């Protein structure tokens, strides 16, 4: 597990990764799985448009209306140039993210699970959150999502409460991770 992890870096996706981004997206769509941690990637057929969207989403001045500023990262395995995971860091809350969405969303490629990548990715993302200036982050997961719950707990998540999200018809557990 450590060997694979050691070949990975958390970076912002760029134009050198267009094919990899498309493959990552397709892997989820083909498997019929919801693509978390990738912002609006499910809606962008052209990865270039997604990269542009990510860039304008980073700043309050340019973020599309109704969305909060956020940063998009990928866990990139340098040994075979593969994107093994994606993670989004939302800088701020709006009414939805304050209650249901939280600061961070993530996913690991369906073929790359249970190798420690989610823990690795979240650990590094928390460092970015701390550097950004947050004292704590909120992460939510569906009650039935054991893998996500265990990822959050492994990274120091403290359970707060369980809430029902009508929009997604989902029961969500809320966890806080202290960064101080
Ligand atoms: C949740 C997800 C990101 C986990 O990725 P991963 O790389 O397989 O996770 P890791 O290998 O880092 O394991 C993290 C923890 O989850 C546990 N875990 C992983 N898959 C599991 C599964 N299918 N069932 C139960 N536990 C599981 C691991 O044992 C580990 O826990 P531990 O430290 O207590 O042993 C991945 O399953 C995924 O992408 N799911 C779909 C998207 C999603 O649900 N995103 C989260 C939205 S809140």
């Amino acid at each position: 597990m450590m060997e694979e992890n050691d070949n990975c870096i958390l970076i912002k996706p760029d134009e050198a990764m267009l094919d990899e981004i498309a493959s990552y997206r397709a892997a989820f769509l083909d498997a019929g799985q919801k693509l978390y941690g990738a912002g609006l990637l499910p809606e962008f057929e052209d990865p270039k448009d997604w990269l542009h969207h990510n860039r304008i989403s980073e700043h309050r001045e340019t973020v599309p209306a109704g969305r909060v500023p956020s940063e998009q990262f990928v866990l990139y395995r340098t040994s075979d140039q593969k994107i093994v995971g994606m993670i989004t860091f939302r800088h701020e809350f709006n009414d939805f993210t304050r209650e249901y969405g939280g600061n961070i969303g993530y996913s690991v490629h369906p073929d790359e699970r249970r190798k420690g990548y989610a823990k690795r990715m979240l650990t590094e993302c928390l460092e970015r959150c701390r550097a950004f200036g947050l004292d704590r982050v909120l992460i939510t997961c569906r009650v039935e999502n054991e893998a996500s719950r265990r990822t959050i707990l492994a990274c120091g998540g403290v359970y707060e409460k369980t809430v029902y999200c009508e929009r997604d018809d989902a029961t969500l557990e809320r966890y806080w991770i202290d960064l101080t």
Side-chain angles (χ1 to χ4, degrees), residues 1 24 28 33-37 84 104-110 112-121 139-142 145-154 172:
M1 188 208 293
Y24 192 88
F28 280 80
Q33 293 183 20
K34 190 164 160 30
L35 177 41
Y36 289 97
V84 295
I104 296 175
Y106 46 81
S107 60
V108 166
H109 191 291
E112 302 290 348
R113 294 189 181 155
R114 305 208 83 154
K115 297 179 182 177
Y117 288 136
K119 286 193 277 188
R120 163 77 182 264
M121 194 162 60
I139 309 182
T140 66
C141 75
R142 289 179 179 240
N145 195 339
E146 179 69 13
S148 186
R149 177 188 305 109
R150 289 179 72 135
T151 301
I152 297 166
L153 289 172
L172 302 167

Side-chain angles (χ1 to χ4, degrees), residues 44-162:
F44 286 111
E45 272 188 39
D46 186 340
K48 279 192 204 135
D49 294 338
W50 180 64
L51 291 175
H52 172 73
H53 171 79
N54 292 344
R55 285 183 187 124
I56 61 172
S57 295
E58 288 191 357
H59 306 286
R60 223 181 267 167
E61 298 73 30
T62 49
V63 68
R67 301 186 66 82
V68 292
S70 64
E71 283 174 90
Q72 180 67 49
F73 299 99
V74 297
L75 191 65
Y76 190 67
R77 193 166 59 200
T78 52
S79 53
D80 58 355
Q81 288 98 43
K82 180 173 181 179
I83 293 174
V84 295
M86 292 200 181
I87 190 160
T88 309
F89 162 33
R90 292 180 279 272
H91 296 171
E92 300 173 8
F93 291 145
N94 59 21
D95 289 346
F96 183 82
T97 56
R98 182 180 297 107
E99 192 68 12
Y100 308 115
N103 291 107
I104 296 175
Y106 46 81
S107 60
V108 166
H109 191 291
D111 298 340
E112 302 290 348
R113 294 189 181 155
R114 305 208 83 154
K115 297 179 182 177
Y117 288 136
K119 286 193 277 188
R120 163 77 182 264
M121 194 162 60
L122 181 54
T123 302
E124 290 208 21
C125 187
L126 292 172
E127 283 308 315
R128 312 288 178 118
C129 299
R130 184 182 288 118
F132 178 79
L134 296 190
D135 292 337
R136 60 177 191 160
V137 297
L138 173 68
I139 309 182
T140 66
C141 75
R142 289 179 179 240
V143 280
E144 64 273 17
N145 195 339
E146 179 69 13
S148 186
R149 177 188 305 109
R150 289 179 72 135
T151 301
I152 297 166
L153 289 172
C155 292
V158 177
Y159 174 78
E160 182 203 61
K161 63 178 178 178
T162 300

